[in-house]
Amino acid sequence: MDSSNLKQLVNFKPSSSSLSVNYQCQLLGISRSGLYYKSKTNNTKQAIKNHITKVFEHIPIYGEKKVHQQLLEDGYKVSLNTVARYR
């Protein structure tokens, strides 16, 4: 099982007969701190990646420089190195 499925097995509701969250994590082999972790999504980064993909799908012969220029014209403030890295 992957870690996301293991995290779903943990029972957070305290009752007299249930195991503690710490002990449940030990039994499943996952860290207790990782149980509460929620990843952050960077919406700006994802929007830039989506727009780069859209530009490449529309005109596939564009290189990084032309895609960078197109992004600047469309209102995205992004460097040429970022376009090359995301591509």
Side-chain angles (χ1 to χ4, degrees):
M1 287 185 123
D2 62 341
S3 63
S4 62
N5 289 338
L6 289 174
K7 289 177 185 179
Q8 293 175 354
L9 295 175
V10 177
N11 182 14
F12 288 104
K13 296 183 180 182
S15 66
S16 61
S17 64
S18 70
L19 302 172
S20 69
V21 173
N22 191 21
Y23 189 62
Q24 291 178 59
C25 289
Q26 286 177 355
L27 290 174
L28 293 171
I30 58 176
S31 66
R32 191 169 53 100
S33 62
L35 183 66
Y36 299 103
Y37 177 75
K38 292 191 175 40
S39 62
K40 296 178 182 178
T41 57
N42 189 339
N43 295 334
T44 306
K45 185 177 181 180
Q46 193 60 41
I48 291 170
K49 286 182 179 183
N50 291 340
H51 198 74
I52 289 172
T53 304
K54 192 186 321 180
V55 170
F56 273 119
E57 287 174 354
H58 190 272
I59 306 172
I61 61 171
Y62 269 9
E64 285 94 4
K65 289 182 180 181
K66 291 232 181 185
V67 172
H68 176 249
Q69 186 62 37
Q70 184 66 42
L71 287 171
L72 292 177
E73 290 174 6
D74 293 341
Y76 290 95
K77 293 183 179 181
V78 64
S79 71
L80 180 60
N81 290 334
T82 303
V83 173
R85 188 173 53 245
Y86 288 170
R87 182 176 175 226

